[in-house]
């Protein structure tokens, strides 16, 4: 779980004890760590499922659009995998009472606590930004704007690194004596909270707005084709359901963290133990489950989800049988910005008219 409160438990007081040891022991309850281990195992499984190669039974522009969104999903799942695995290692170590034992190994235990917690915070920070850029890229697809994976990567991997390093440096430097400043302890702990949760709040506000704009743009694109039948309305409704599901998953997984942080800072002098622990258990459950829940929402929605199949290492991939597929797959995003928002035409057998198809980052086809 990405919780700055645990990072304060790594601190060492002047009497060579951990001032946060009482809180750490509460977090060390067997049930708490068992929840962390189970949820992180499920998170690892969900991440691996998303990372497995896919074979999309489509061609031309639909295939290119699907692959563009698929890249972001894979990187999001990779970050989730690394974060969930770290939660698994940390909770297993705490449960075994080895790495954080206090029999004279203060700095060893504190170093393990700080490094593992920083690792978790960093990679969950990466997942926040991939979630944001997925929403941004969907809107860019609908607007016919090319993607820029290089820029995405630079921002996504460097920004969490910056605020994780800054937050933990302020907290721990120079000797893990986080509480040594007395009344000014807020100056060491509060920045890490802000650097951890401000990006979360921003994404909770920005993503619904981005998806709302994307759904409106999708409706505009469909209307411009001259056809807005019950089938088009159904597909647009499915698209909106998926956008809503993605937002709900993010809120379910990270709202407990915000509630916990607000409770800690608003009731700092008289912390209610039971509510704080309850919120901590919710974080232990839902933070690592993000990867598993994402596997259900970051998939192809529509009438033919079976057109996307997992390609295992022993599965022989089908060969591309159209020169157009090979040509499009060999081009960069910048070369096919128009394709992302283009329609592939098919003949409606009932009335002989042409109907329109567009794939929005693998969301479904219109």
């Amino acid at each position: 779980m990405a919780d700055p409160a645990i990072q304060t438990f790594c601190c060492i007081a002047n009497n060579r004890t951990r001032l946060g040891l009482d809180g750490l022991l509460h977090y060390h309850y067997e049930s708490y760590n068992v929840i962390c281990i189970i949820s992180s195992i499920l998170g690892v499984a969900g991440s691996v499922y998303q990372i497995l190669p896919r074979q999309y039974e489509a061609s031309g522009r639909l295939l290119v659009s699907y692959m563009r969104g698929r890249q972001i999903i894979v990187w999001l799942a990779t970050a989730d995998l690394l974060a969930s695995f770290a939660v698994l290692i940390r909770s297993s170590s705490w449960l075994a009472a080895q790495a954080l034992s206090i029999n004279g190994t203060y700095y060893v235990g504190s170093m393990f606590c700080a490094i593992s917690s920083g690792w978790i915070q960093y990679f969950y920070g990466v997942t926040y930004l991939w979630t944001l850029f997925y929403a941004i890229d969907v809107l860019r697809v609908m607007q016919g704007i090319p993607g820029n994976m290089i820029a995405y990567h630079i921002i996504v991997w460097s920004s969490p690194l910056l605020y994780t390093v800054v937050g933990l440096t302020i907290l721990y430097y120079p000797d893990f004596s986080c509480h040594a400043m007395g009344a000014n302890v807020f100056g060491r702990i509060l920045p890490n909270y802000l650097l951890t949760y401000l990006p979360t709040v921003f994404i909770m506000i920005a993503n619904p707005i981005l998806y709302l704009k994307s759904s409106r743009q999708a409706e505009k694109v469909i209307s411009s084709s001259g056809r807005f039948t019950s089938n088009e309305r159904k597909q647009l409704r499915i698209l909106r359901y998926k956008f809503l599901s993605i937002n709900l998953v993010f809120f379910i997984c990270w709202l407990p963290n915000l509630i916990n942080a607000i409770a800690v800072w608003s009731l700092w002098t008289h912390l209610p133990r039971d509510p704080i622990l309850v919120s901590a258990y919710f974080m232990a459950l839902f933070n690592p489950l993000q990867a598993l829940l994402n596997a259900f929402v970051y998939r192809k929605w529509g009438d033919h989800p079976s057109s996307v199949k997992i390609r295992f290492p022993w599965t022989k991939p089908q060969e591309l049988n159209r020169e157009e597929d090979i040509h499009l797959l060999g081009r960069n995003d910048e070369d096919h910005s128009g394709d992302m928002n283009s329609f592939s035409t098919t003949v409606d057998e009932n009335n002989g008219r042409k109907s329109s198809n567009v794939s929005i980052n693998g969301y479904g086809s219109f």
Side-chain angles (χ1 to χ4, degrees), residues 45-238:
S47 299
V48 172
Y49 174 79
Q50 294 178 82
I51 294 171
L52 286 173
R54 300 297 200 272
Q55 183 172 303
Y56 183 35
E57 296 178 357
S59 59
R61 295 161 180 161
L62 296 182
L63 178 60
V64 175
S65 176
Y66 171 79
M67 293 304 296
R68 171 170 162 177
R70 173 73 185 152
Q71 290 181 63
I72 299 178
I73 293 173
V74 169
W75 285 113
L76 170 59
T78 301
D80 256 324
L81 173 63
L82 294 170
S84 296
F85 185 72
V87 173
L88 176 62
I89 295 299
R90 186 179 67 180
S91 296
S92 300
S93 299
W94 284 357
L95 197 59
Q98 294 176 351
L100 291 180
S101 61
I102 58 172
N103 53 352
T105 57
Y106 305 106
Y107 282 104
V108 174
S110 293
M111 282 294 292
F112 173 80
C113 178
I115 292 174
S116 60
S117 298
W119 178 283
I120 293 167
Q121 178 180 335
Y122 170 69
F123 281 106
Y124 275 131
V126 171
T127 66
Y128 301 161
L129 291 185
W130 277 127
T131 302
L132 173 65
F133 276 102
Y134 190 79
I136 291 174
D137 198 65
V138 169
L139 182 59
R140 292 168 68 92
V141 165
M142 292 310 304
Q143 294 175 340
I145 302 174
N148 191 337
M149 284 300 295
I150 295 177
Y152 294 170
H153 277 286
I154 292 174
I155 297 173
V156 167
W157 297 104
S158 62
S159 299
L161 179 63
L162 176 62
Y163 56 70
T164 298
V165 170
V166 171
L168 296 184
T169 300
I170 295 174
L171 180 64
Y172 294 133
Y173 185 81
D175 54 3
F176 289 97
S177 299
C178 316
H179 305 277
M181 295 178 67
N184 295 324
V185 67
F186 296 106
R188 302 194 72 165
I189 299 177
L190 183 58
N192 192 40
Y193 268 86
L194 294 176
L195 290 170
T196 300
Y197 289 135
L198 283 180
T200 310
V201 174
F202 175 77
I203 293 170
M204 285 182 171
I205 297 172
N207 271 22
I209 295 174
L210 290 169
Y211 283 128
L212 178 62
K213 295 181 68 174
S214 295
S215 63
R216 288 177 176 173
Q217 183 67 21
E219 183 175 1
K220 179 193 261 186
V221 171
I222 296 172
S223 301
S224 66
S225 68
R227 285 174 55 91
F228 201 50
T229 65
S230 59
N231 181 64
E232 279 76 18
R233 291 190 182 92
K234 176 184 177 182
Q235 296 299 325
L236 185 61
R237 186 168 60 252
I238 291 173

Side-chain angles (χ1 to χ4, degrees), residues 116-365:
S116 60
S117 298
W119 178 283
I120 293 167
Q121 178 180 335
Y122 170 69
F123 281 106
Y124 275 131
V126 171
T127 66
Y128 301 161
L129 291 185
W130 277 127
T131 302
L132 173 65
F133 276 102
Y134 190 79
I136 291 174
D137 198 65
V138 169
L139 182 59
R140 292 168 68 92
V141 165
M142 292 310 304
Q143 294 175 340
I145 302 174
N148 191 337
M149 284 300 295
I150 295 177
Y152 294 170
H153 277 286
I154 292 174
I155 297 173
V156 167
W157 297 104
S158 62
S159 299
L161 179 63
L162 176 62
Y163 56 70
T164 298
V165 170
V166 171
L168 296 184
T169 300
I170 295 174
L171 180 64
Y172 294 133
Y173 185 81
D175 54 3
F176 289 97
S177 299
C178 316
H179 305 277
M181 295 178 67
N184 295 324
V185 67
F186 296 106
R188 302 194 72 165
I189 299 177
L190 183 58
N192 192 40
Y193 268 86
L194 294 176
L195 290 170
T196 300
Y197 289 135
L198 283 180
T200 310
V201 174
F202 175 77
I203 293 170
M204 285 182 171
I205 297 172
N207 271 22
I209 295 174
L210 290 169
Y211 283 128
L212 178 62
K213 295 181 68 174
S214 295
S215 63
R216 288 177 176 173
Q217 183 67 21
E219 183 175 1
K220 179 193 261 186
V221 171
I222 296 172
S223 301
S224 66
S225 68
R227 285 174 55 91
F228 201 50
T229 65
S230 59
N231 181 64
E232 279 76 18
R233 291 190 182 92
K234 176 184 177 182
Q235 296 299 325
L236 185 61
R237 186 168 60 252
I238 291 173
L239 181 69
R240 287 170 174 165
Y241 284 156
K242 178 164 186 178
F243 291 163
L244 176 62
S245 299
I246 292 174
N247 285 320
L248 283 177
V249 165
F250 192 81
F251 272 80
I252 289 171
C253 291
W254 300 109
L255 194 57
N257 296 60
L258 295 181
I259 294 174
N260 178 272
I262 293 172
V264 166
W265 287 100
S266 61
L267 304 171
W268 180 268
T269 55
H270 302 286
L271 288 179
R273 176 180 175 274
D274 290 339
I276 294 296
L277 287 178
V278 168
S279 63
Y281 276 80
F282 273 105
M283 289 188 286
L285 175 63
F286 287 112
N287 287 182
L289 277 184
Q290 175 180 248
L292 180 64
L293 296 177
N294 280 348
F296 290 99
V297 297
Y298 286 99
R299 60 179 177 85
K300 185 180 183 297
W301 289 39
D303 294 333
H304 304 288
S306 59
S307 61
V308 179
K309 298 178 180 179
I310 297 177
R311 191 175 74 239
F312 294 101
W314 55 85
T315 303
K316 184 178 180 180
Q318 295 182 355
E319 295 182 359
L320 295 177
N321 54 11
R322 296 181 58 190
E323 292 184 2
E324 180 186 0
D325 298 340
I326 301 174
H327 176 60
L328 286 171
L329 287 174
R331 295 160 67 186
N332 297 325
D333 282 342
E334 291 78 1
D335 297 332
H336 53 248
S337 60
D339 297 342
M340 296 297 103
N341 199 30
S342 300
F343 291 95
S344 60
T345 55
T346 56
V347 177
D348 188 333
E349 295 179 357
N350 296 326
N351 53 25
R353 291 191 304 174
K354 291 184 178 181
S355 61
S356 301
N357 261 327
V358 63
S359 178
I360 306 170
N361 268 16
Y363 282 130
S365 297

Side-chain angles (χ1 to χ4, degrees), residues 20-57:
L21 184 59
D22 180 64
L24 185 60
L25 290 176
H26 284 310
Y27 276 77
H28 276 197
Y29 281 143
E30 181 178 348
S31 58
Y32 172 82
N33 284 295
V34 168
I35 291 174
C36 285
I37 291 172
I38 293 175
S39 61
S40 60
I41 290 174
L42 293 174
V44 168
S47 299
V48 172
Y49 174 79
Q50 294 178 82
I51 294 171
L52 286 173
R54 300 297 200 272
Q55 183 172 303
Y56 183 35
E57 296 178 357

